[in-house]
Amino acid sequence: MQYGMAIDTHRCYGCNACAIACKLSNNLSKGVWWNAVVTEGGATRDTASGEWPNNVMRFFPKACQHCRKPLCVASCPTGASQKGDDGIVFIDQELCIGCGTCLTACPYEVRTVMQDDPEYYQDVALGQWDAPEHKAGKAEKCTLCSNLLERDKEPACVRACSMRARIFGDLDDPESEVSKVIESGREYLQLHEESGAEPSVYYLL
């Protein structure tokens, strides 16, 4: 099994609902985002490149790519970064020493190390009751909402996408919707393929 995702760049219009749903569901600290929408276009966010009428602007929601050959796992000196049988790359908080080696190894810049105790916007946790615990000095990142998957629910980012731009499922199952979309013949790209990490997120073009 290899959980993964296809993201339709024709459908995504950069609303950031996925990023906000991720932040709320996982009760992320101020300033911490596991999911971000990157603009392919001009020099600043939400600006197109080129000149009229040949302007181009696409949005690429970016989070952990849950690679088949994760460089973060290979580089972790304590074995804290691991890959589960379901293909989800996760961090064992008990083993993590916050050295930042995984941040350097990851070509996607989607990991963070909490420098201080988490600071929230409200006095009470707004996330899921089983959201990951956040601790100072520990690396963290997208978990593909493994806590929701255990309850047979989709990741928060998938559920929040109003345009249904995200298709989630088992890439190793040829009958899954995500596998069928990827094998449909439509052009796609994977970020930093040259790294050899074999990311499990496909961007449909």
Side-chain angles (χ1 to χ4, degrees):
M1 171 179 276
Q2 175 67 55
Y3 277 129
M5 196 177 300
I7 300 178
D8 191 333
T9 60
H10 289 184
R11 288 179 172 269
C12 178
Y13 61 96
C15 70
N16 283 282
C18 56
I20 294 169
C22 169
K23 190 171 185 68
L24 290 174
S25 182
N26 290 290
N27 199 34
L28 300 184
S29 178
K30 287 184 178 180
V32 175
W33 297 86
W34 287 356
N35 193 337
V37 181
V38 179
T39 305
E40 179 193 50
T44 58
R45 181 175 173 76
D46 294 338
T47 59
S49 63
E51 296 181 2
W52 175 264
N54 299 312
N55 303 87
V56 176
M57 182 169 66
R58 286 187 296 193
F59 298 100
F60 286 85
K62 189 176 73 168
C64 177
Q65 306 286 294
H66 296 279
C67 305
R68 290 183 182 271
K69 298 178 180 178
L71 304 181
C72 57
V73 171
S75 68
C76 181
T78 66
S81 287
Q82 302 176 29
K83 186 172 185 287
D85 293 337
D86 53 9
I88 295 177
V89 177
F90 66 96
I91 302 168
D92 185 329
Q93 296 284 301
E94 296 301 317
L95 296 176
C96 179
I97 57 175
C99 65
T101 301
C102 59
L103 276 71
T104 303
C106 175
Y108 305 103
E109 300 179 343
V110 290
R111 288 181 168 228
T112 185
V113 173
M114 296 288 296
Q115 300 300 322
D116 302 302
D117 289 331
E119 181 182 0
Y120 302 112
Y121 296 95
Q122 301 292 333
D123 293 334
V124 295
L126 299 176
Q128 296 287 329
W129 62 269
D130 54 355
E133 185 178 359
H134 309 289
K135 298 179 180 179
K138 304 290 184 178
E140 58 176 50
K141 63 169 195 67
C142 158
T143 65
L144 265 184
C145 289
S146 56
N147 55 318
L148 297 181
L149 296 178
E150 290 176 0
R151 292 189 264 138
D152 294 321
K153 296 182 181 293
E154 292 181 312
C157 61
V158 176
R159 291 186 294 134
C161 183
S162 61
M163 295 301 291
R164 308 308 299 166
R166 291 173 176 261
I167 304 165
F168 173 78
D170 182 5
L171 297 173
D172 287 343
D173 178 5
E175 297 303 313
S176 69
E177 183 182 4
V178 67
S179 292
K180 289 180 179 179
V181 167
I182 293 169
E183 296 299 326
S184 67
R186 183 169 169 181
E187 186 180 2
Y188 63 78
L189 66 79
Q190 293 168 281
L191 302 180
H192 295 296
E193 285 187 274
E194 74 284 354
S195 70
E198 298 185 16
S200 295
V201 178
Y202 296 73
Y203 294 89
L204 306 176
L205 305 177

